[in-house]
Amino acid sequence: MRRQLLPQHHPISGHTERAQYLAELSQSAATAAELLGRTQHDSLLAACYQNRFLPRRLFLGHKEREQLMADLETLRTTLFSLPDRLFDGDLGAFARAVGMTEAQTEVILRSQGAAATRMARTDLCVDDSGFKVQG
């Protein structure tokens, strides 16, 4: 079933979209496999996500997306500040404290000073109180 998009001047929250989607889904006889479609057969996705796919969509409203992006940037900034905050800038001491081997620590130290990549994956779940980082 194809849904008609709402006009841009009529924002809708992700919560409302999720509720509408789940209400429609509850009236459907679709199985989880049908909802996943071809996703479950994509070898790259299967390898990256270890075949752990959520068989429903996630809808974010504009405000929710903006807040999530700001929160993730705060998390990233905080994580990258830990060596300075906890080990007076000693990246090697930080690496060893979090359990890296000496070989891993050497590689990390070689990259010191280079700009850190912005490419990352954060596993999140969402409930009525908002998004939570999965540990």
Side-chain angles (χ1 to χ4, degrees), residues 14-79:
H15 179 74
T16 303
E17 278 289 309
R18 280 189 299 277
Q20 289 174 347
Y21 176 77
L22 292 173
E24 288 179 21
L25 190 58
S26 70
Q27 302 302 313
S28 165
T31 65
E34 290 169 332
L35 293 172
L36 289 173
R38 292 182 297 186
T39 303
Q40 61 191 329
H41 303 294
D42 184 303
S43 60
L44 180 59
L45 288 175
C48 290
Y49 297 103
Q50 301 171 354
N51 284 320
R52 295 180 305 174
F53 302 110
L54 184 64
R56 67 180 177 94
R57 299 169 190 245
L58 173 66
F59 296 96
L60 292 178
H62 178 74
K63 287 172 58 175
E64 290 171 308
R65 181 192 176 280
E66 293 298 313
Q67 184 63 56
L68 178 59
M69 296 303 291
D71 291 347
L72 289 174
E73 182 57 33
T74 299
L75 175 62
R76 180 186 181 279
T77 300
T78 302
L79 290 173

Side-chain angles (χ1 to χ4, degrees), residues 72-93:
L72 289 174
E73 182 57 33
T74 299
L75 175 62
R76 180 186 181 279
T77 300
T78 302
L79 290 173
F80 277 90
S81 74
L82 289 177
D84 289 329
R85 290 175 176 214
L86 301 175
F87 294 91
D88 209 23
D90 186 342
L91 189 57

